[in-house]
Amino acid sequence: VRKETISINNMVSENEKVLVTEFKKRKLLSTDAEDSNVTDAIKEHFPGAIKSSDLAKHMKAVLNKHGYADENTLIATSLCCDEVNRELENDLTSIYNYNFSMGGLAGFAFGGVTSFGAMAHHIPDNGSCIVLYGPHVGVDDTGVVGKVNRRGRHGGSGACCGSAAAAAGYCKLVQEGKTPIAPPTEPLDAQQTFVGNLLLPHADRLSSSQEPDVELPLALFDVQDELMKKIISKGCGEVAGQGKIAMIGGIQINTPAGTCEYFLPKVFEIRDNKNTK
């Protein structure tokens, strides 16, 4: 299976020149009246981000070239459980029907190898899967990164992602001398403990950044990308026959009502059930 690699600014490999040209013509173009405060901030801080609806359409076009058929493809996502993250899933299920959710707080694949194996056993006969993963970050109606305006709440914007913000605060406390929290022994708040401790190696990166709210989802993505690749490495053999695993990783960007959601693609690979790229 040929590896397909993307950069922050391009979602397909160097061999997909025609599709890149076509896709760039579509990027950030819409007849919708979007909030320029939001879209300008996205362009500035997350160059290469694309509308989630365009991402879904482009995924379909590229994957169909690699033998994917909509009717026997299963989409699995590892996105944060925050309700603002469902727009992208809806765009994807409009093409691939049902979604298998692997994600928990901040987008980490807390379902682990077990959830991947279960998903693999649900793939339709002679089919393949798509695994889309990554953290999320909000951009509010004033262009502030790390916040979003939520439905029905009129007191201004609030933290997004809250779990990520709490983890960053925890990292700062540890830098200041607080003893790191031991791995949890009960599930009461286990996910948040893991989010904080997994982010901890990036504490200096966050504290030295001039824009920590922008750096935070980038750091979280690096941690989640490593985790997802470990999960797939261990679980890939559960995919039957000639089935493929398309990995699409990036950062989900939540926006206020009236402005499309965006996604910053950072990884696009196709692997087989032996984890061969």
Side-chain angles (χ1 to χ4, degrees):
V1 176
R2 185 160 59 93
K3 178 179 178 180
E4 298 293 334
T5 305
I6 59 170
S7 67
I8 292 178
N9 295 314
N10 297 313
M11 189 191 155
V12 292
S13 73
E14 293 180 359
N15 294 327
E16 301 284 355
K17 298 296 186 182
V18 175
L19 284 172
V20 170
T21 301
E22 178 185 355
F23 189 50
K24 283 183 175 179
K25 293 177 181 178
R26 297 206 310 258
K27 275 171 60 174
L28 301 177
L29 295 177
S30 174
T31 56
D32 299 334
E34 296 196 307
D35 189 329
S36 60
N37 289 331
V38 178
T39 55
D40 287 350
I42 292 172
K43 292 175 186 177
E44 177 184 355
H45 298 296
F46 303 103
I50 58 179
K51 293 176 183 177
S52 63
S53 56
D54 285 342
L55 174 74
K57 293 172 185 175
H58 195 58
M59 282 169 52
K60 170 182 168 66
V62 173
L63 291 175
N64 284 354
K65 290 185 60 179
H66 291 278
Y68 274 70
D70 301 350
E71 64 275 8
N72 65 356
T73 295
L74 179 60
I75 178 76
T77 59
S78 184
L79 303 172
C80 183
C81 44
D82 190 325
E83 77 280 358
V84 297
N85 293 321
R86 307 288 73 87
E87 182 176 327
L88 176 55
E89 288 180 344
N90 291 339
D91 288 330
L92 294 169
T93 54
S94 70
I95 299 172
Y96 301 110
N97 293 309
Y98 301 105
N99 170 58
F100 187 105
S101 179
M102 298 173 62
L105 288 180
F108 280 88
F110 284 111
V113 176
T114 298
S115 69
F116 182 87
M119 179 278 296
H121 293 169
H122 301 173
I123 298 171
D125 292 343
N126 303 311
S128 295
C129 65
I130 303 167
V131 180
L132 185 140
Y133 61 98
H136 71 117
V137 65
V139 177
D140 73 8
D141 58 5
T142 65
V144 173
V145 175
K147 294 187 175 183
V148 77
N149 308 87
R150 293 183 181 271
R151 177 178 61 86
R153 298 183 65 86
H154 306 295
S157 59
C160 182
C161 166
S163 172
Y170 164 73
C171 290
K172 183 177 180 181
L173 289 174
V174 172
Q175 280 187 310
E176 294 171 351
K178 177 182 173 68
T179 301
I181 300 173
T185 57
E186 60 179 40
L188 186 63
D189 202 21
Q191 288 194 12
Q192 186 58 39
T193 301
F194 276 111
V195 173
N197 283 335
L198 288 168
L199 183 62
L200 198 53
H202 296 267
D204 290 343
R205 170 182 177 179
L206 296 175
S207 62
S208 63
S209 173
Q210 294 184 350
E211 296 180 300
D213 290 327
V214 175
E215 193 66 29
L216 177 57
L218 298 171
L220 281 169
F221 175 79
D222 289 343
V223 179
Q224 293 180 22
D225 184 49
E226 180 180 1
L227 174 62
M228 183 59 75
K229 287 173 178 174
K230 288 181 179 178
I231 291 171
I232 291 176
S233 176
K234 287 187 175 293
C236 60
E238 300 299 326
V239 176
Q242 301 300 310
K244 302 181 183 70
I245 306 161
M247 299 174 57
I248 301 172
I251 297 169
Q252 195 173 7
I253 304 170
N254 309 121
T255 56
T259 299
C260 293
E261 184 177 275
Y262 283 73
F263 188 86
L264 176 63
K266 292 177 69 64
V267 168
F268 185 20
E269 297 177 2
I270 298 177
R271 304 185 179 203
D272 63 17
N273 61 3
K274 295 179 178 59
N275 205 35
T276 303
K277 302 176 184 179

